[in-house]
PDB file of all heavy atoms in Angstrom:
ATOM      1  N   TYR A 108      33.875 -26.130  23.833  1.00 96.00           N
ATOM      2  CA  TYR A 108      33.859 -27.559  23.565  1.00 96.00           C
ATOM      3  C   TYR A 108      32.580 -27.899  22.812  1.00 96.00           C
ATOM      4  O   TYR A 108      31.492 -27.474  23.174  1.00 96.00           O
ATOM      5  CB  TYR A 108      33.970 -28.357  24.862  1.00 96.00           C
ATOM      6  CG  TYR A 108      35.350 -28.281  25.456  1.00 96.00           C
ATOM      7  CD1 TYR A 108      35.775 -27.152  26.153  1.00 96.00           C
ATOM      8  CD2 TYR A 108      36.259 -29.327  25.294  1.00 96.00           C
ATOM      9  CE1 TYR A 108      37.052 -27.074  26.669  1.00 96.00           C
ATOM     10  CE2 TYR A 108      37.535 -29.258  25.823  1.00 96.00           C
ATOM     11  CZ  TYR A 108      37.933 -28.123  26.505  1.00 96.00           C
ATOM     12  OH  TYR A 108      39.208 -28.041  27.023  1.00 96.00           O
ATOM     13  N   VAL A 109      32.738 -28.668  21.765  1.00 96.00           N
ATOM     14  CA  VAL A 109      31.622 -28.942  20.872  1.00 96.00           C
ATOM     15  C   VAL A 109      30.730 -30.068  21.401  1.00 96.00           C
ATOM     16  O   VAL A 109      29.513 -30.006  21.320  1.00 96.00           O
ATOM     17  CB  VAL A 109      32.156 -29.312  19.468  1.00 96.00           C
ATOM     18  CG1 VAL A 109      31.008 -29.699  18.545  1.00 96.00           C
ATOM     19  CG2 VAL A 109      32.960 -28.163  18.892  1.00 96.00           C
ATOM     20  N   TYR A 110      31.363 -31.093  21.941  1.00 96.00           N
ATOM     21  CA  TYR A 110      30.619 -32.260  22.408  1.00 96.00           C
ATOM     22  C   TYR A 110      30.717 -32.339  23.924  1.00 96.00           C
ATOM     23  O   TYR A 110      31.795 -32.186  24.500  1.00 96.00           O
ATOM     24  CB  TYR A 110      31.181 -33.532  21.769  1.00 96.00           C
ATOM     25  CG  TYR A 110      31.176 -33.479  20.266  1.00 96.00           C
ATOM     26  CD1 TYR A 110      32.345 -33.224  19.560  1.00 96.00           C
ATOM     27  CD2 TYR A 110      29.987 -33.658  19.557  1.00 96.00           C
ATOM     28  CE1 TYR A 110      32.337 -33.159  18.175  1.00 96.00           C
ATOM     29  CE2 TYR A 110      29.977 -33.595  18.174  1.00 96.00           C
ATOM     30  CZ  TYR A 110      31.151 -33.343  17.482  1.00 96.00           C
ATOM     31  OH  TYR A 110      31.134 -33.273  16.120  1.00 96.00           O
ATOM     32  N   LYS A 111      29.578 -32.613  24.549  1.00 96.00           N
ATOM     33  CA  LYS A 111      29.523 -32.598  26.009  1.00 96.00           C
ATOM     34  C   LYS A 111      28.740 -33.789  26.505  1.00 96.00           C
ATOM     35  O   LYS A 111      27.665 -34.101  25.961  1.00 96.00           O
ATOM     36  CB  LYS A 111      28.895 -31.285  26.484  1.00 96.00           C
ATOM     37  CG  LYS A 111      29.719 -30.076  26.043  1.00 96.00           C
ATOM     38  CD  LYS A 111      28.932 -28.790  26.033  1.00 96.00           C
ATOM     39  CE  LYS A 111      29.764 -27.658  25.488  1.00 96.00           C
ATOM     40  NZ  LYS A 111      29.035 -26.385  25.388  1.00 96.00           N
ATOM     41  N   GLY A 112      29.267 -34.438  27.515  1.00 93.00           N
ATOM     42  CA  GLY A 112      28.589 -35.612  28.046  1.00 93.00           C
ATOM     43  C   GLY A 112      27.714 -35.272  29.232  1.00 93.00           C
ATOM     44  O   GLY A 112      27.732 -34.147  29.731  1.00 93.00           O
ATOM     45  N   GLN A 113      26.990 -36.241  29.679  1.00 93.00           N
ATOM     46  CA  GLN A 113      26.209 -36.067  30.898  1.00 93.00           C
ATOM     47  C   GLN A 113      27.167 -36.133  32.078  1.00 93.00           C
ATOM     48  O   GLN A 113      28.302 -36.555  31.930  1.00 93.00           O
ATOM     49  CB  GLN A 113      25.108 -37.144  30.994  1.00 93.00           C
ATOM     50  CG  GLN A 113      25.458 -38.356  31.810  1.00 93.00           C
ATOM     51  CD  GLN A 113      26.591 -39.164  31.243  1.00 93.00           C
ATOM     52  OE1 GLN A 113      27.017 -38.982  30.131  1.00 93.00           O
ATOM     53  NE2 GLN A 113      27.113 -40.076  32.045  1.00 93.00           N
ATOM     54  N   GLY A 114      26.771 -35.674  33.184  1.00 95.00           N
ATOM     55  CA  GLY A 114      27.670 -35.606  34.318  1.00 95.00           C
ATOM     56  C   GLY A 114      27.665 -36.859  35.167  1.00 95.00           C
ATOM     57  O   GLY A 114      26.785 -37.710  35.056  1.00 95.00           O
ATOM     58  N   THR A 115      28.649 -36.941  36.037  1.00 98.00           N
ATOM     59  CA  THR A 115      28.713 -37.999  37.036  1.00 98.00           C
ATOM     60  C   THR A 115      28.975 -37.328  38.385  1.00 98.00           C
ATOM     61  O   THR A 115      29.834 -36.458  38.504  1.00 98.00           O
ATOM     62  CB  THR A 115      29.794 -39.046  36.695  1.00 98.00           C
ATOM     63  OG1 THR A 115      29.742 -40.109  37.644  1.00 98.00           O
ATOM     64  CG2 THR A 115      31.200 -38.466  36.665  1.00 98.00           C
ATOM     65  N   GLN A 116      28.205 -37.717  39.364  1.00 98.00           N
ATOM     66  CA  GLN A 116      28.250 -37.053  40.664  1.00 98.00           C
ATOM     67  C   GLN A 116      29.408 -37.567  41.503  1.00 98.00           C
ATOM     68  O   GLN A 116      29.584 -38.777  41.664  1.00 98.00           O
ATOM     69  CB  GLN A 116      26.936 -37.279  41.411  1.00 98.00           C
ATOM     70  CG  GLN A 116      26.906 -36.704  42.816  1.00 98.00           C
ATOM     71  CD  GLN A 116      26.811 -35.200  42.840  1.00 98.00           C
ATOM     72  OE1 GLN A 116      25.991 -34.601  42.143  1.00 98.00           O
ATOM     73  NE2 GLN A 116      27.667 -34.564  43.643  1.00 98.00           N
ATOM     74  N   VAL A 117      30.148 -36.623  42.043  1.00 98.00           N
ATOM     75  CA  VAL A 117      31.197 -36.930  43.009  1.00 98.00           C
ATOM     76  C   VAL A 117      30.854 -36.220  44.310  1.00 98.00           C
ATOM     77  O   VAL A 117      30.655 -34.998  44.309  1.00 98.00           O
ATOM     78  CB  VAL A 117      32.576 -36.473  42.505  1.00 98.00           C
ATOM     79  CG1 VAL A 117      33.629 -36.649  43.601  1.00 98.00           C
ATOM     80  CG2 VAL A 117      32.983 -37.260  41.268  1.00 98.00           C
ATOM     81  N   THR A 118      30.766 -36.976  45.378  1.00 98.00           N
ATOM     82  CA  THR A 118      30.464 -36.414  46.685  1.00 98.00           C
ATOM     83  C   THR A 118      31.559 -36.829  47.650  1.00 98.00           C
ATOM     84  O   THR A 118      31.837 -38.021  47.800  1.00 98.00           O
ATOM     85  CB  THR A 118      29.109 -36.896  47.203  1.00 98.00           C
ATOM     86  OG1 THR A 118      28.091 -36.563  46.251  1.00 98.00           O
ATOM     87  CG2 THR A 118      28.773 -36.231  48.531  1.00 98.00           C
ATOM     88  N   VAL A 119      32.162 -35.831  48.278  1.00 98.00           N
ATOM     89  CA  VAL A 119      33.248 -36.085  49.217  1.00 98.00           C
ATOM     90  C   VAL A 119      32.783 -35.654  50.602  1.00 98.00           C
ATOM     91  O   VAL A 119      32.495 -34.477  50.832  1.00 98.00           O
ATOM     92  CB  VAL A 119      34.517 -35.322  48.825  1.00 98.00           C
ATOM     93  CG1 VAL A 119      35.670 -35.695  49.767  1.00 98.00           C
ATOM     94  CG2 VAL A 119      34.904 -35.619  47.383  1.00 98.00           C
ATOM     95  N   SER A 120      32.720 -36.593  51.509  1.00 98.00           N
ATOM     96  CA  SER A 120      32.279 -36.286  52.863  1.00 98.00           C
ATOM     97  C   SER A 120      33.490 -35.985  53.745  1.00 98.00           C
ATOM     98  O   SER A 120      34.578 -36.514  53.544  1.00 98.00           O
ATOM     99  CB  SER A 120      31.489 -37.458  53.432  1.00 98.00           C
ATOM    100  OG  SER A 120      32.319 -38.600  53.537  1.00 98.00           O
TER     101      SER A 120
END
Side-chain angles (χ1 to χ4, degrees):
Y108 288 77
V109 176
Y110 304 102
K111 299 159 184 177
Q113 96 296 348
T115 185
Q116 176 73 48
V117 173
T118 303
V119 184
S120 63

